[in-house]
Amino acid sequence: MTESLPHLDPMDVASYIDGRMNPAARAKLEAHIIDCESCRREIRDVDGIRRSAPASRSRVLLPLGALAAAAVALIVLLPAREVFTPEGTHRDPAVTATVAPKAIEPVGGVSAVKRMTWSSVPEANRYRVRIFDAQGAVIWEAEQADTTVGMPAGVRLVPGEKYFWSVSAKTGWGRSVESPLTEFVIPPGAPGR
Amino acid sequence: MVSTPPELSRLIDASSAPDIEACWADFVQAHSRLLLHTARSVAADADDAMEAYAFMLEQLRKDDCRRLRGFTDDGRARFTTWLVVVARRLCLDYRRSVYGRRTNEGSPEERSTRRRLQDLVSANLDTDSIPDSQQGPPDGSLLREEASRLLNGALDGLPSRDRLLLTLRFEDGESAPRIAQLMGYPTAFHVYRHLNVLLERLRNQLREKGLEGPSP
């Protein structure tokens, strides 16, 4: 398909972004957007808007008494074990209304990495930060309460090599929200650390 | 999988004018943050965003909410994702009505910032062995054209998903983490690995067709 053919239907765009297309429909759409820059841009933009969107506000406001009763009922009635779906798989990660932490430094090309810094997350009590090499292997990780951590002397980052890092904020028992992977590289010849 | 939110169902089912008004207010309250966020993502500044937002609401309400009635709850997509697609298109319509079509869409400046897939892959395909057209023998440009033709043929033979991956990475300049999100790869590392496999496959295909590396 080319740009001369009709552009995508909004439902197709949304379905692709939500990952709900069947393989045949997905292949057809991908064949179209290879050559249709306009539709490709739409998918990229909408996906970006969705990912950066604020959490939707609560639709139903229950009276406080009803909320308390519901909480008590949950505590009493829920079995104290892991929750499995009927298919026997673990449930999806808990949906939280909080925002993901955002990498502040290092990002992109940096002359040296003395510390890692990220944005704070409301309700977060611990953060776990991890650095990966280009093959995906974890080369360092740390867990702490603050939103910045100094790089220990033992961690050797090679100038010219690509690294990635992410930070996961623990917002409750079994709940966490993680930043996207952020890439950084120390240019060859830089002191590194 | 039911995706229609209750406030939309109520709005579509409302029949009396007061009911429609109340249901519309509920709908706007439930989705105003997402719609405003979309308007801000497209607009040039705060005033522009508010104008686009107002236009968006007007259009969504128009003709008895014709656009909103276009959402098909068949499990193919979340309503909010679909709403962002529609809202973004309305914002672009608004901007075009006010400012005209964006002049930088596909402009030479924008294109010049992209790393053309062909150039990049060619650079990785031992085309350094092809003499520079200004310094080498007279047939240098012919060799480059031949390399380009062979490369295009090899690219055309790739599955569309692989071609899309290369296009997003090398033409659009998207980062590996973003591509992973868009195309459903588990991580950015899967993207890097697959890109490496693809580039190596292209190199091998060109070698098989007679495009050799530098002479010792």
Side-chain angles (χ1 to χ4, degrees):
Chain A
M1 281 193 238
T2 68
E3 286 198 61
S4 61
L5 291 176
H7 292 307
L8 297 174
D9 180 85
M11 201 66 187
D12 289 334
V13 176
S15 183
Y16 184 75
I17 290 169
D18 285 344
R20 293 185 182 178
M21 272 193 155
N22 66 50
R26 191 181 70 182
K28 191 176 170 187
L29 180 144
E30 290 180 340
H32 172 72
I33 64 175
I34 288 169
D35 295 318
C36 183
E37 190 183 341
S38 171
C39 288
R40 218 163 60 231
R41 181 195 296 263
E42 179 173 47
I43 286 174
R44 288 157 50 204
D45 285 357
V46 171
D47 185 61
I49 292 169
R50 287 283 290 132
R51 289 180 186 280
S52 60
S56 61
R57 70 182 56 177
S58 172
R59 291 200 182 113
V60 182
L61 296 175
L62 290 176
L64 280 178
L67 281 176
V72 170
L74 278 173
I75 292 168
V76 172
L77 298 176
L78 274 185
R81 58 179 173 79
E82 282 188 301
V83 179
F84 288 80
T85 63
E87 292 78 26
T89 56
H90 284 84
R91 65 179 177 180
D92 286 338
V95 175
T96 65
T98 191
V99 294
K102 187 178 176 189
I104 295 175
E105 68 164 319
V107 175
V110 291
S111 58
V113 180
K114 302 294 185 193
R115 71 186 70 82
M116 323 282 292
T117 308
W118 55 91
S119 63
S120 66
V121 171
E123 312 294 329
N125 47 30
R126 302 286 292 173
Y127 297 94
R128 186 168 69 139
V129 58
R130 289 180 297 172
I131 301 178
F132 307 87
D133 64 16
Q135 280 68 49
V138 177
I139 60 170
W140 181 70
E141 64 183 311
E143 189 166 319
Q144 59 168 57
D146 201 358
T147 58
T148 187
V149 58
M151 287 290 290
V155 180
R156 180 172 145 69
L157 299 174
V158 181
E161 295 282 324
K162 271 185 187 171
Y163 294 96
F164 302 85
W165 68 288
S166 70
V167 57
S168 172
K170 293 189 175 181
T171 54
W173 179 253
R175 288 172 183 259
S176 63
V177 58
E178 187 159 11
S179 71
L181 277 175
T182 300
E183 185 178 317
F184 70 91
V185 61
I186 303 167
R193 75 140 294 109
Chain B
M1 199 181 301
V2 177
S3 296
T4 304
E7 63 276 4
L8 177 62
S9 300
R10 286 196 297 270
L11 175 63
I12 288 172
D13 293 341
S15 52
S16 70
D19 273 357
I20 294 171
E21 206 58 47
C23 291
W24 172 252
D26 285 349
F27 178 84
V28 172
Q29 185 184 15
H31 299 286
S32 60
R33 294 173 79 182
L34 184 61
L35 294 173
L36 260 174
H37 178 68
T38 305
R40 289 189 185 115
S41 303
V42 176
D45 53 42
D47 287 345
D48 193 30
M50 290 314 293
E51 295 285 348
Y53 175 64
F55 177 82
M56 191 194 290
L57 292 184
E58 179 189 326
Q59 294 298 314
L60 289 175
R61 178 78 192 268
K62 198 174 170 183
D63 298 334
D64 195 19
C65 304
R66 176 180 58 82
R67 285 185 172 81
L68 292 174
R69 291 174 187 275
F71 175 69
T72 313
D73 188 5
D74 55 7
R76 280 191 295 154
R78 292 187 188 96
F79 171 71
T80 48
T81 309
W82 178 87
L83 184 62
V84 171
V85 178
V86 173
R88 178 186 170 276
R89 287 186 179 187
L90 288 172
C91 286
L92 294 178
D93 286 348
Y94 166 76
R95 287 183 60 78
R96 283 175 190 137
S97 71
V98 175
Y99 305 108
R101 191 167 285 273
R102 279 173 56 190
T103 54
N104 65 340
E105 272 181 1
S107 66
E109 292 78 14
E110 189 178 30
R111 288 185 185 282
S112 70
T113 63
R114 296 183 195 131
R115 299 161 66 194
R116 300 299 302 176
L117 170 65
Q118 184 174 309
D119 293 343
L120 187 79
V121 178
S122 293
N124 287 336
L125 286 168
D126 297 336
T127 48
D128 287 347
S129 62
I130 299 171
D132 186 289
S133 58
Q134 292 183 346
Q135 296 178 352
D139 60 346
S141 61
L142 288 176
L143 285 170
R144 283 188 186 281
E145 280 177 23
E146 177 64 4
S148 172
R149 191 186 63 77
L150 290 174
L151 176 62
N152 285 335
L155 289 171
D156 286 343
L158 290 175
S160 58
R161 193 164 169 78
D162 290 345
R163 287 179 58 206
L164 177 61
L165 173 63
L166 292 168
T167 304
L168 287 170
R169 178 63 174 157
F170 298 121
E171 282 200 50
D172 296 345
E174 285 288 359
S175 67
R178 281 280 294 140
I179 295 172
Q181 291 169 346
L182 281 170
M183 295 189 67
Y185 285 93
T187 68
F189 306 115
H190 292 77
V191 172
Y192 280 118
R193 285 189 199 117
H194 197 55
L195 280 170
N196 287 336
V197 169
L198 283 177
L199 291 175
E200 188 55 35
R201 191 182 300 163
L202 287 170
R203 277 186 208 111
N204 289 337
Q205 282 186 23
L206 292 205
R207 282 192 198 104
E208 285 169 9
K209 291 180 188 295
L211 188 65
E212 296 298 334
S215 303

